[in-house]
Amino acid sequence: MSLPRRFVVEADGGSRGNPGPAGYGAVVIDPDTGETLAETAEYIGVATNNVAEYKGLVAGLRAVGALLADGPVGTGVQVRVRMDSKLVVEQMSGRWKIKHPDMKPLAAEAAAVLPGADLTYEWIPRERNKHADRLANEAMDAGRRGAQWEPSASTAALDTPRASVAAGPVTPQVGWGAAPDLGAPATLVLLRHGETALTPQKRFSGSGGTDPELSAAGREQAERAAAAFASRGTVQEIVSSPLRRCRETAGAVAARLGLEPRVEDGLRETDFGAWEGLTFGEVRERYGDDLDAWLASPDAAPTGGGESFAEVAGRVAAARDALVTRYAGRTVLVVTHVTPIKTLVRLALGAPPEALFRMELSAASVSSVAYYADGNASVRLLNDTSHLR
């Protein structure tokens, strides 16, 4: 059998705890037929999501190398890597700098696997990376049993329809001789909810507290936002956090636009644990060491079982991916909270976690991010309050 000179590698990695028990999976596909040429997966012990994702990339590229072991890689071999990790795709494409010391050697290892090959990287939503995701989860399941993944026991290929790669010739991508047709982006218009009684007092108000309603001032802000969106006429869908203050704000806009809001649980605010209802100063006085740790690391959680910023970023990114896929080419009003909005902006910019502390978001303010088909994002607006004046 003659092998193709073009390959698609789909790779993924995961960690149950970040860091926690981790594994990766990768599959090599013939892009012209959709045939699975190779599968690989491994449980790697305790690691972060990003380390597991990079190891999945390296394993997928090595699997291509193994297929070509009887001859030189040389020129003319084209490999398109498809992953739902924007971090890995952007870093390996050279658009983002690699700063983390754990990532640098893995990126260098990946770059050295297939010398001379034409490598391109493409971000895809998680739903289109199910084969590699299933392999990674099989590897983690095996690790939990004290074993390693066995190809003979895998059902990833059987349970994952080969819909992510067309059976016919692959549509040319960047680096494959043609520029992509990106089309209209999915635009998420990010509306922070109106004020509650806790907002002017700057108290921690997340998803683990009392779920307050809008105050009189907050209801007025919601109505002003609704009037502004009605006059613009651009919003086609409305999605809301499940918390009351967001549902009330979304309801005010929906009533003006004649739309039905859809609730997305991943857009809820951070659970601030024992800090719920307290001011920053009160938290400093009662839980000073925990607060310092929280400010210093995205992996540190608030006192009493709250959520870390890393955990929030994971579920917000998953909600974003689902929305971008569901509403491709449409403009969606997303009514949510400070942390989810800042997280979406931070991820779109490729900014570090500490950027969360460098953004101001007023009650009922509007921000906007556009998401294109190639996985890139463009921040178009931040903290606009002109409709409230």
Side-chain angles (χ1 to χ4, degrees):
M1 180 183 73
S2 62
L3 285 170
R5 304 298 286 175
R6 296 197 302 169
F7 302 88
V8 168
V9 171
E10 294 180 352
D12 198 11
S15 169
R16 294 170 178 171
N18 198 30
Y24 66 73
V27 56
V28 182
I29 303 159
D30 181 339
D32 294 317
T33 66
E35 177 188 0
T36 296
L37 301 175
E39 289 180 314
T40 183
E42 184 180 1
Y43 173 69
I44 59 174
V46 175
T48 64
N49 283 329
N50 293 149
V51 166
E53 288 164 345
Y54 259 110
K55 284 184 175 290
L57 167 63
V58 171
L61 296 176
R62 284 179 174 168
V64 173
L67 291 169
L68 297 168
D70 292 335
V73 175
T75 59
V77 172
Q78 298 177 316
V79 181
R80 184 181 355 147
V81 177
R82 295 152 53 91
M83 300 180 68
D84 59 51
S85 170
K86 190 169 180 64
L87 175 88
V88 175
V89 167
E90 294 298 310
Q91 287 182 343
M92 292 304 298
S93 298
R95 291 186 288 267
W96 291 2
K97 291 183 178 179
I98 304 173
K99 298 180 180 179
H100 198 286
D102 291 343
M103 302 299 109
K104 288 182 179 179
L106 290 169
E109 185 179 1
V113 173
L114 296 173
D118 179 9
L119 277 169
T120 58
Y121 289 84
E122 176 189 356
W123 177 87
I124 56 175
R126 186 166 299 151
E127 305 83 59
R128 292 169 56 195
N129 201 27
K130 289 182 178 179
H131 193 154
D133 175 75
R134 180 62 181 267
L135 288 168
N137 277 285
E138 286 183 351
M140 286 184 277
D141 290 342
R144 186 174 56 192
R145 300 190 301 269
Q148 277 291 353
W149 177 83
E150 292 290 341
S152 60
S154 176
T155 61
L158 297 176
D159 294 342
T160 309
R162 182 79 275 144
S164 58
V165 177
V170 174
T171 301
Q173 301 290 320
V174 172
W176 288 45
D181 179 9
L182 301 183
T187 302
L188 303 188
V189 179
L190 308 171
L191 174 63
R192 186 190 170 194
H193 62 79
E195 287 186 7
T196 71
L198 300 178
T199 308
Q201 301 174 36
K202 296 188 180 298
R203 295 185 178 274
F204 283 94
S205 181
S207 57
T210 58
D211 196 10
E213 64 182 355
L214 293 178
S215 64
R219 288 191 290 273
E220 174 64 23
Q221 291 168 338
E223 290 297 336
R224 287 178 179 267
F229 287 118
S231 66
R232 294 170 189 170
T234 55
V235 170
Q236 298 167 292
E237 309 281 351
I238 301 178
V239 178
S240 173
S241 154
L243 298 185
R244 184 175 181 178
R245 52 199 181 271
C246 287
R247 288 187 286 107
E248 290 179 341
T249 303
V253 181
R256 291 284 191 115
L257 300 183
L259 298 173
E260 186 67 29
R262 179 171 182 161
V263 171
E264 172 57 61
D265 185 66
L267 297 172
R268 67 187 186 279
E269 181 56 288
T270 307
D271 182 344
F272 292 112
W275 303 352
E276 294 280 358
L278 302 180
T279 65
F280 189 89
E282 290 168 341
V283 173
R284 169 67 71 191
E285 182 178 347
R286 301 181 196 182
Y287 308 105
D289 291 344
D290 290 350
L291 181 63
D292 287 341
W294 182 71
L295 294 171
S297 171
D299 296 315
T303 309
E307 288 181 291
S308 70
F309 282 136
E311 291 172 317
V312 175
R315 64 171 165 81
V316 168
R320 172 205 62 197
D321 293 348
L323 293 175
V324 168
T325 300
R326 185 184 307 143
Y327 300 117
R330 298 178 69 78
T331 298
V332 184
L333 179 66
V334 177
V335 186
T336 182
H337 310 263
V338 168
T339 310
I341 293 174
K342 287 185 176 182
T343 298
L344 289 167
V345 171
R346 176 183 77 78
L347 294 174
L349 294 173
E354 55 265 30
L356 294 175
F357 301 113
R358 299 174 184 172
M359 286 182 260
E360 176 69 24
L361 283 178
S362 304
S365 63
V366 177
S367 304
S368 178
V369 183
Y371 297 89
Y372 292 89
D374 66 346
N376 286 310
S378 175
V379 176
R380 295 181 170 180
L381 192 66
L382 181 67
N383 197 39
D384 178 25
T385 58
S386 59
H387 54 284
L388 302 178
R389 295 195 290 273

